[in-house]
Amino acid sequence: MTEKVIYEGPIFTLVKEDVTIKNKVYQRDIIHHPGGVGILCMIDHKILLVKQVRQAIDLETIEIPAGKLEYGEDPLECGMRELNEETGYACSSMRLIQSFYTTPGFCDEKLWIYEAIDPIEAKEHLPQDEDEDLHSFWLPLEEAYSKVLNQEITDAKTIIAILYAVAARRE
Amino acid sequence: MTEKVIYEGPIFTLVKEDVTIKNKVYQRDIIHHPGGVGILCMIDHKILLVKQVRQAIDLETIEIPAGKLEYGEDPLECGMRELNEETGYACSSMRLIQSFYTTPGFCDEKLWIYEAIDPIEAKEHLPQDEDEDLHSFWLPLEEAYSKVLNQEITDAKTIIAILYAVAARRE
């Protein structure tokens, strides 16, 4: 497999690769991304969410707390840190409920979704990244599910976390 | 907003944008993508899926039938075509069940998930794209749900379609 780096940035790297399909060689543009972590954090049937403006889509989104991995970083540790940075909440442990690829047609970004076990307000609140402007809030799970169905929540990882929580409660 | 094109490829365009957050200017690398369509196609509680090798993640995946939009193309028409090309099935109409952003932190790719209404084998089977090598098969929905929970199905749009179908059946 031949791989040629086209662009290396702070978040992802763009490469061009040769691939062989049915004995013919094609080129594919591929984004290498270190992956990330999202956190399903619930207390009393309410889910913790964050609002932020996403530059790529020029919209304010509602998402679960989440963050990018550093290469080689443990997803669980990343999840603990991001939960505190983005919301001021902490937990003693987390349980992996899902890992998946956001868009495997051209990108290797993998996301891990953890459920925070017994979340509480953190004694020490880590500062937000200075290039982020987030606002966290709690929403009853059924309202969050309604926002998935009526397209107010349009972020893939957040939809997966909410549908997972709803399906789990109905089992 | 300043936007500078870094790379233009057949699938997506990479740009660098200035963004202002809390009165400071930062740069963001952003992928512009035309978006795509996925199809939830079910007959008798079985779901139609496709296997293929995804070069970006170097793995064989199980996904719902799906394809990339051309800029300006109607998602519903794209869905009808891709369903036929990838599986040989057709339907008279489709119902939008979800649209979402795959990874809004750095990419504007939006996916539309349609449910095929009364799918049947197509009289005329459109050829697959020559740079694709796909194999379609049917799986009981509950087995597909198990494959989500045990991480055999790891594609975001496919997880969303399956969780949606499971949640809808339990309502």
Side-chain angles (χ1 to χ4, degrees):
Chain A
M1 194 176 66
T2 323
E3 181 178 298
K4 186 185 147 205
V5 174
I6 306 285
Y7 172 80
E8 240 180 311
I11 308 292
F12 56 78
T13 302
L14 167 59
V15 303
K16 207 174 258 297
E17 282 185 13
D18 286 343
V19 302
T20 305
I21 295 163
K22 296 176 185 165
N23 297 318
K24 275 184 75 175
V25 178
Y26 299 89
Q27 287 201 314
R28 291 270 197 273
D29 293 339
I30 289 172
I31 301 289
H32 288 312
H33 185 288
V37 176
I39 304 106
L40 173 64
C41 178
M42 295 191 61
I43 296 180
D44 293 339
H45 309 302
K46 286 187 176 140
I47 181 170
L48 183 56
L49 297 166
V50 294
K51 268 192 191 182
Q52 66 190 301
V53 173
R54 287 298 200 177
Q55 185 71 14
I57 57 173
D58 199 22
L59 286 173
E60 186 180 70
T61 60
I62 298 173
E63 303 181 27
I64 54 172
K68 190 175 71 70
L69 280 165
E70 306 302 321
Y71 273 106
E73 187 182 21
D74 178 32
L76 198 147
E77 275 174 34
C78 173
M80 295 271 200
R81 185 188 69 234
E82 292 288 347
L83 179 63
N84 187 324
E85 281 181 16
E86 296 199 348
T87 71
Y89 272 76
C91 60
S92 52
S93 63
M94 290 187 164
R95 189 171 63 89
L96 182 67
I97 57 172
Q98 201 72 50
S99 67
F100 60 91
Y101 295 97
T102 53
T103 185
F106 68 93
C107 177
D108 64 359
E109 183 189 29
K110 186 175 183 176
L111 293 187
W112 284 259
I113 309 277
Y114 287 92
E115 182 171 12
I117 308 296
D118 299 327
I120 50 164
E121 270 196 71
K123 283 179 191 151
E124 189 187 358
H125 190 165
L126 301 173
Q128 281 184 16
D129 292 338
E130 65 164 12
D131 67 342
E132 287 189 329
D133 191 9
L134 300 160
H135 303 276
S136 65
F137 63 105
W138 292 91
L139 200 68
L141 179 61
E142 288 301 321
E143 277 184 47
Y145 181 47
S146 295
K147 284 187 192 298
V148 170
L149 297 183
N150 72 13
Q151 318 280 313
E152 276 179 78
I153 288 177
T154 57
D155 165 56
K157 68 179 171 300
T158 306
I159 294 173
I160 287 174
I162 291 169
L163 289 179
Y164 176 92
V166 168
R169 273 181 62 180
R170 291 183 177 163
E171 269 176 1
Chain B
M1 192 177 67
T2 323
E3 181 177 298
K4 186 185 149 208
V5 174
I6 306 284
Y7 172 81
E8 242 180 309
I11 307 294
F12 57 77
T13 303
L14 167 60
V15 304
K16 206 175 259 298
E17 283 186 12
D18 286 344
V19 302
T20 305
I21 294 162
K22 296 174 184 164
N23 298 319
K24 274 184 75 175
V25 177
Y26 300 89
Q27 288 202 314
R28 291 271 198 272
D29 293 338
I30 290 173
I31 301 290
H32 288 312
H33 185 287
V37 176
I39 304 106
L40 173 63
C41 179
M42 294 191 62
I43 296 180
D44 294 340
H45 309 304
K46 287 189 175 138
I47 182 170
L48 184 55
L49 297 166
V50 294
K51 268 193 191 181
Q52 66 191 301
V53 172
R54 287 298 199 177
Q55 185 69 15
I57 57 174
D58 199 20
L59 287 172
E60 186 180 69
T61 62
I62 297 171
E63 303 181 28
I64 54 173
K68 190 176 71 71
L69 280 165
E70 306 303 319
Y71 273 106
E73 187 182 19
D74 177 33
L76 198 146
E77 274 175 36
C78 174
M80 296 271 199
R81 186 189 67 235
E82 292 288 348
L83 179 63
N84 187 324
E85 280 182 16
E86 296 200 345
T87 72
Y89 272 77
C91 60
S92 52
S93 64
M94 289 187 165
R95 190 170 63 90
L96 182 67
I97 56 172
Q98 199 74 48
S99 67
F100 61 91
Y101 295 98
T102 53
T103 184
F106 68 93
C107 178
D108 65 359
E109 183 188 29
K110 186 174 183 178
L111 294 188
W112 285 259
I113 309 278
Y114 287 92
E115 182 171 9
I117 309 296
D118 299 329
I120 51 164
E121 271 195 72
K123 282 180 192 149
E124 191 188 354
H125 190 164
L126 301 173
Q128 281 185 17
D129 291 339
E130 65 165 10
D131 66 343
E132 287 188 332
D133 191 8
L134 300 158
H135 304 275
S136 65
F137 64 104
W138 293 90
L139 200 67
L141 180 61
E142 289 302 320
E143 275 184 48
Y145 181 48
S146 296
K147 285 185 192 299
V148 170
L149 298 182
N150 74 14
Q151 319 280 312
E152 276 178 79
I153 288 178
T154 57
D155 166 56
K157 68 178 172 301
T158 306
I159 293 173
I160 287 174
I162 291 169
L163 289 179
Y164 176 92
V166 168
R169 273 180 64 178
R170 290 184 178 161
E171 270 179 359

